[in-house]
């Protein structure tokens, strides 16, 4: 193989130099440009869940401890339920942990009226709300038909955002025609209020 002549060697060298310079120019050109930019932010975004909260003024004691009942016996009490949630909510009353013997609940009439005033074990100052639902049926019907929020009693819808009380005037009376088979019978239940946001 023949070695390149001095003329061809110089030509190759001269050709390589412009190509190297051209490549270098491209790199310099690319690195020399920059972009203008600007940003704007909407700061401190956050999300907080609302609340639904209920309490009553007789949480640790029974509203009724009625012993030695007979036909015609009657009694009443008032319980104030207070909503303190931030969200509007529907409130329903129903029976939980219920039991009975001798079908006594079929012979005790239950009446529930919504209103204002009273409470803490007394109905002094209670005033019924004329436009609110009332309950009038037997304890047995309440135990069997009002068992959860969906079939519970009441039409109270809270406004939310502030403490909002409602009084429940609860009364009972034993039917005058209660049979002897009801003697010694018992009825036990919890009055339970539940609120669900709207």
């Amino acid at each position: 193989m023949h070695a390149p002549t001095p003329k061809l060697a110089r030509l190759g060298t001269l050709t390589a130099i412009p190509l190297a310079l051209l490549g270098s120019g491209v790199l310099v050109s690319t690195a020399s440009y920059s972009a203008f930019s600007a940003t704007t932010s909407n700061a401190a975004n956050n999300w907080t869940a609302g609340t639904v909260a209920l309490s009553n003024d007789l949480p640790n004691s029974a509203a009724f401890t009625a012993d030695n009942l007979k036909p015609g016996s009657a009694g009443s009490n008032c319980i104030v339920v207070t909503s303190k949630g931030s969200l509007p909510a529907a409130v329903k009353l129903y029976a939980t942990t219920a039991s009975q013997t001798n079908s006594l609940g079929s012979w005790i009439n239950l009446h529930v009226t919504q209103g204002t005033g009273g409470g803490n074990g007394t109905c002094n100052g209670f005033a019924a709300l004329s436009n609110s639902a009332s309950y009038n049926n037997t304890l047995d019907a309440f135990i069997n038909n009002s068992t959860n929020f969906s079939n519970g009693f009441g039409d109270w819808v809270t406004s939310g955002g502030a403490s909002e009380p409602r009084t429940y005037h609860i009364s009972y009376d034993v039917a005058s025609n209660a049979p002897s088979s009801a003697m010694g019978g018992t009825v036990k239940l919890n009055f339970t209020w539940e609120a669900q946001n709207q």
Side-chain angles (χ1 to χ4, degrees):
M1 184 174 180
H2 297 287
T5 64
K7 182 177 181 181
L8 288 176
R10 285 195 303 274
L11 180 61
T13 300
L14 293 174
T15 302
I17 292 173
L19 289 175
L21 290 175
L22 179 61
S24 176
V26 170
L27 292 176
V28 171
S29 176
T30 301
S32 298
Y33 288 96
S34 62
F36 294 125
S37 67
T39 64
T40 183
S41 296
N42 170 243
N45 293 285
N46 65 86
W47 287 259
T48 303
T51 60
V52 173
L54 287 179
S55 63
N56 77 80
D57 63 351
L58 291 174
N60 301 313
S61 60
F64 298 99
T65 304
D67 298 322
N68 215 27
L69 295 173
K70 61 183 180 180
S73 293
S76 64
N77 206 340
C78 285
I79 300 176
V80 177
V81 176
T82 303
S83 168
K84 296 182 178 180
S86 65
L87 297 171
V91 180
K92 300 290 184 179
L93 167 64
Y94 54 88
T96 56
T97 320
S99 64
Q100 62 175 312
T101 61
N102 297 355
S103 298
L104 180 59
S106 298
W107 303 100
I108 298 179
N109 300 308
L110 178 68
H111 313 281
V112 182
T113 304
Q114 301 175 83
T116 60
N120 294 310
T122 178
C123 289
N124 292 336
F126 174 79
L129 294 171
S130 59
N131 59 344
S132 291
S134 59
Y135 183 90
N136 295 285
N137 210 326
T138 64
L139 266 176
D140 183 72
F142 184 70
I143 289 170
N144 289 298
N145 299 328
S146 297
T147 58
N148 54 55
F149 180 86
S150 64
N151 58 21
F153 160 77
D155 55 3
W156 180 24
V157 177
T158 71
S159 299
S163 179
E164 186 176 345
R166 176 156 295 197
T167 304
Y168 288 77
H169 183 287
I170 303 174
S171 64
Y172 71 89
D173 60 84
V174 181
S176 60
N177 61 339
S180 297
S181 60
M183 288 193 299
T186 62
V187 181
K188 297 179 181 180
L189 63 83
N190 294 339
F191 288 113
T192 300
W193 286 264
E194 182 177 345
Q196 292 189 8
N197 69 275
Q198 296 293 283

